Structure formats: C-alpha cells, structure tokens
Amino acid sequence: MTTDLAAHYLDEAHRQMRGHKRLAEGAMAQLQDRELFLTLDPESNSIAILVKHMAGNMRSRFTDFLNSDGEKPDRHRDQEFELNPSTTRTDLTKWWEEGWARVFAALEELKPEDLLRTVTVRGEPHTVLQAINRQVAHYAYHTGQIVFAAKHIRSSKWKTLSIPRGKSEEFKTVAPKAHKT
C-alpha cells in the first residue's frame, strides 16, 4: 500500500468516525434526559444502552490498539446492556466522550505503514485496516440505531440531521460544496 493511499485512508477513517459521533450527538441533543432511556419495545435497546455499549467497545478496542487484543480481559460486554437506575445523561456523556477520545487518540497515533500490521480481536488476526473498518461499520450501525430511535421518539418535533424530506431538489441546484461529515 502506498504511503499516500494509506495516509488518505487514515484521514478518511478519522473523518467517518467524527461524522458518526456528530450524527449521534445531533440526535441525542434533541432528546430530553428521560427519553434517552426509552425503548421502542421489550427487545430493543435504549439510546442510553447503545451509548454504554459503544463506549465499552471503544475502550476495549482502542486501548493499546496495536499491542493487545481488542477484546480486553476486563471487558464485561453483557454488562454494557444493563443500566443502573441512577444512570444520568451526565454519566452517558462521560462514557461517550471517554470512548471517542480513545478512538481518536489511537487513530492519530497510527502511521501509514501501520495499516498492514496485524492486530487481534478476540484472538482473531486482522490487519489494522480491517480492524478499523470493522469498527467504522460497527459504530455506523449503532449510530443509525440512535438516530432511528431519537427520530421515532421526537416524531413531528424531529429536526433532520441531513437533507429535509422534499428538499432534495434544492440541494441539487446549490453549487457543489466540499462534503463534510
């Protein structure tokens, strides 16, 4: 892999991660505190649970990213799907920010030549590139769930995070801008 291509990939992975973080935050900002804990049905996860799970995953995957297995021995994944009744938005925000800080710190430490190095996740070897792709996809999946749940909860009070329904043509006629997420 050429250094230029690898550097571009790392920039793009970082950009996508920032975009997922921003999108989820835009959805959560529209909710009242109690709404973060609502579930759509008995089998679904609340946004609070999704935040706790993502933060736990981020801590495990991106702590000592290049040198230790991405599934840390002190991670208790099943507990990420349980909340203490005293959990608050402040707790969620703390977990969220700490998780993303680990993601961005690990990505910023990577050099283009690291992309083809091998790391392990649950004992399985992955290239660094594969491990990053795995996490981009995982966080996109849960970000989509957060946005969907928030949109459902807010219903007609929802403020779109992208092009508003029925406004696509307006965005086609505007001079193209650099796409930022």
Side-chain angles (χ1 to χ4, degrees), residues 19-37:
H20 296 321
K21 181 179 188 288
R22 188 170 40 255
L23 196 60
E25 289 170 354
M28 291 186 286
Q30 295 187 46
L31 299 174
Q32 297 173 11
D33 292 359
R34 66 175 179 74
E35 292 172 324
L36 293 167
F37 300 89

Side-chain angles (χ1 to χ4, degrees), residues 163-171:
I163 299 171
R165 189 178 292 178
K167 303 289 185 178
S168 295
E169 290 302 314
E170 290 176 32
F171 281 81

Side-chain angles (χ1 to χ4, degrees), residues 45 48-49 52-53 76-85 87 95:
N45 292 312
I49 288 287
K52 186 177 181 188
H53 166 60
H76 303 287
R77 185 181 176 279
D78 289 340
Q79 292 175 6
E80 294 167 11
F81 295 90
E82 300 169 1
L83 287 174
N84 180 312
T87 301
W95 300 334

Side-chain angles (χ1 to χ4, degrees), residues 9-157:
Y9 170 81
L10 288 170
D11 288 344
E12 178 60 14
H14 199 264
R15 186 189 71 80
Q16 286 189 32
M17 293 289 202
R18 283 191 316 268
H20 296 321
K21 181 179 188 288
R22 188 170 40 255
L23 196 60
E25 289 170 354
M28 291 186 286
Q30 295 187 46
L31 299 174
Q32 297 173 11
D33 292 359
R34 66 175 179 74
E35 292 172 324
L36 293 167
F37 300 89
L38 297 176
T39 57
L40 302 182
D41 61 61
E43 290 301 313
S44 64
N45 292 312
S46 68
I47 291 171
I49 288 287
L50 293 169
V51 166
K52 186 177 181 188
H53 166 60
M54 288 176 72
N57 178 277
M58 291 170 186
R59 184 195 61 78
S60 189
R61 295 294 185 265
F62 287 98
T63 298
D64 197 27
F65 179 69
L66 291 175
N67 302 307
S68 66
D69 193 285
E71 188 67 14
K72 302 298 181 278
D74 66 343
R75 182 182 185 202
H76 303 287
R77 185 181 176 279
D78 289 340
Q79 292 175 6
E80 294 167 11
F81 295 90
E82 300 169 1
L83 287 174
N84 180 312
S86 64
T87 301
T88 65
R89 180 188 286 264
T90 302
D91 297 324
L92 298 176
T93 301
K94 179 179 177 275
W95 300 334
W96 181 256
E97 292 300 334
E98 287 173 355
W100 282 109
R102 289 178 191 257
V103 170
F104 296 133
L107 290 176
E108 288 164 12
E109 289 177 12
L110 294 174
K111 298 173 192 65
E113 57 270 20
D114 291 329
L115 286 182
L116 296 179
R117 285 180 61 177
T118 300
V119 294
T120 57
V121 179
R122 294 187 179 137
E124 294 180 25
H126 296 69
T127 63
V128 167
L129 187 143
Q130 289 170 321
I132 292 170
N133 282 348
R134 174 183 175 142
Q135 295 316 119
V136 168
H138 185 223
Y139 303 150
Y141 173 75
H142 289 311
T143 295
Q145 291 176 314
I146 289 169
V147 172
F148 176 83
K151 186 175 181 180
H152 177 80
I153 291 165
R154 297 302 295 157
S155 189
S156 64
K157 295 176 185 160

